[in-house]
Amino acid sequence: MKKEFHYLQEECVVSHNKSLTRGLQVLKEIMNNEQSISANELCLKFDIDKSTMSRLITTLIHEGFAAYVENTKEIIYTDVMETLSKKRREGLIVKQTTSLLNEVFAQTDECSYIAINDNDMLLHLNQIDNSNRILKHRDSIGFHSPLHATAMGKVILAFSKDINISKLELTQFTHSTITNIKRLQLNMHTIKELGYAIDDEEFEYGLRAVAVPYFSKKGEFIGAIGVSGLAARLESERLQEIATIISNLTNKHKLDI
């Protein structure tokens, strides 16, 4: 029995080593490819069946070594160290702004958020809703939203220096969504002058939002802080009041990063 057990252990180790070797070979091929590569091409290259290749690719993507090109099944290499650094930065932002979001909620009685730019999309890092309302906002942490149709997204468009507005796809979500580039650019000028942005049922009917830019102690633009709630509660004057409240709070709680 002992001999059989040891034999099975050795067989298992050999199998794992083979899987690791194949995984590394696939990773090297993805890394060495200047363009994206498909799973079928990898299967042919290494004579690996589709199900095995699918598991290898899924593992590489899950561990941050590879990614699918947007809306395709083409695979590209991703810098895992850069990914880890990005995740660490996002974690620091969440940790250092939780008390700020709590204060924003406490003073506005509306769900508070922080979001950043992530490949020309709005990435929701955190939200606080301590209300006892029956209808609460869905958990949006980790989700992406469009920049042009949200208050926080428009703040990011207005204050970021590395986004080309003319290349954005201005999808229409409601009758109020801005889908014209010139109109959106004019809106950016207004946001810079006012210091805040409003979403007037532009992304979802029945919801309004307001957001302000958020900077670090060094003056680096980080992202947007905002609140959202039912349009019936958040009329124009109330949105302006909340914008002032959030601006005052963000000025007192600048990020140390």
Side-chain angles (χ1 to χ4, degrees):
M1 287 291 290
K2 284 185 178 180
K3 285 184 179 180
E4 288 181 8
F5 178 71
H6 286 304
Y7 174 74
L8 289 171
Q9 275 190 317
E10 288 174 7
E11 196 175 51
C12 187
V13 169
V14 170
S15 176
H16 280 304
N17 286 340
K18 282 183 179 178
S19 294
L20 177 60
T21 300
R22 281 189 296 188
L24 290 172
Q25 288 172 339
V26 170
L27 176 59
K28 281 172 65 178
E29 186 65 23
I30 295 170
M31 289 175 67
N32 291 331
N33 235 296
E34 292 184 5
Q35 305 296 326
S36 59
I37 190 168
S38 70
N40 286 337
E41 289 175 292
L42 290 168
C43 285
L44 291 171
K45 172 81 176 178
F46 297 103
D47 192 24
I48 297 175
D49 63 86
K50 288 184 178 181
S51 61
T52 302
M53 182 58 71
S54 177
R55 288 195 296 272
L56 290 173
I57 291 170
T58 299
T59 300
L60 290 173
I61 291 173
H62 183 265
E63 296 300 327
F65 288 97
Y68 285 120
V69 178
E70 189 175 359
N71 298 324
T72 74
K73 285 295 182 181
E74 293 289 305
I75 304 147
I76 55 171
Y77 170 70
T78 57
D79 188 334
V80 70
M81 294 309 294
E82 183 180 332
T83 301
L84 289 172
S85 176
K86 179 186 169 189
K87 292 296 181 186
R88 179 179 176 275
R89 177 182 169 85
E90 289 174 4
L92 284 173
I93 293 172
V94 170
K95 185 178 180 180
Q96 291 191 32
T97 56
T98 298
S99 61
L100 168 58
L101 292 188
N102 274 306
E103 280 200 56
V104 170
F105 171 81
Q107 293 196 31
T108 64
D109 198 32
E110 299 291 349
C111 187
S112 59
Y113 304 84
I114 180 166
I116 61 172
N117 177 38
D118 183 36
N119 294 320
D120 293 350
M121 289 289 287
L122 186 72
L123 173 60
H124 298 253
L125 290 185
N126 200 11
Q127 73 181 68
I128 300 292
D129 185 355
N130 295 324
S131 69
N132 294 317
R133 297 187 182 106
I134 296 172
L135 292 176
K136 291 186 124 183
H137 287 270
R138 61 181 175 271
D139 185 355
S140 62
I141 298 171
F143 284 86
H144 289 82
S145 300
L147 296 175
H148 71 288
T150 57
M152 289 191 293
K154 289 193 285 184
V155 162
I156 286 170
L157 283 177
F159 291 91
S160 290
K161 297 177 181 178
D162 55 354
I163 300 175
N164 188 343
I165 294 179
S166 63
K167 290 186 177 181
L168 293 178
E169 185 178 343
L170 305 184
T171 304
Q172 184 166 2
F173 297 96
T174 73
H175 294 311
S176 300
T177 307
I178 298 174
T179 57
N180 179 278
I181 288 290
K182 287 186 178 179
R183 187 181 162 205
L184 184 61
Q185 288 172 331
L186 285 172
N187 195 227
M188 295 305 100
H189 289 300
T190 302
I191 290 166
K192 285 180 181 177
E193 287 178 4
L194 295 175
Y196 65 88
I198 286 173
D199 163 11
D200 188 4
E201 299 186 76
E202 294 164 49
F203 185 47
E204 194 170 339
Y205 287 115
L207 292 178
R208 287 197 180 109
V210 60
V212 305
Y214 186 51
F215 298 91
S216 72
K217 289 180 178 178
K218 296 176 182 177
E220 175 192 1
F221 175 66
I222 302 297
I225 302 280
V227 306
S228 69
L230 293 178
R233 286 199 308 269
L234 297 177
E235 295 182 350
S236 181
E237 288 185 9
R238 180 57 180 157
L239 288 172
Q240 292 174 36
E241 289 172 4
I242 290 175
T244 301
I245 291 169
I246 303 174
S247 292
N248 290 338
L249 288 172
T250 55
N251 287 332
K252 291 194 299 182
H253 292 268
K254 289 187 183 292
L255 200 67
D256 188 12
I257 197 169

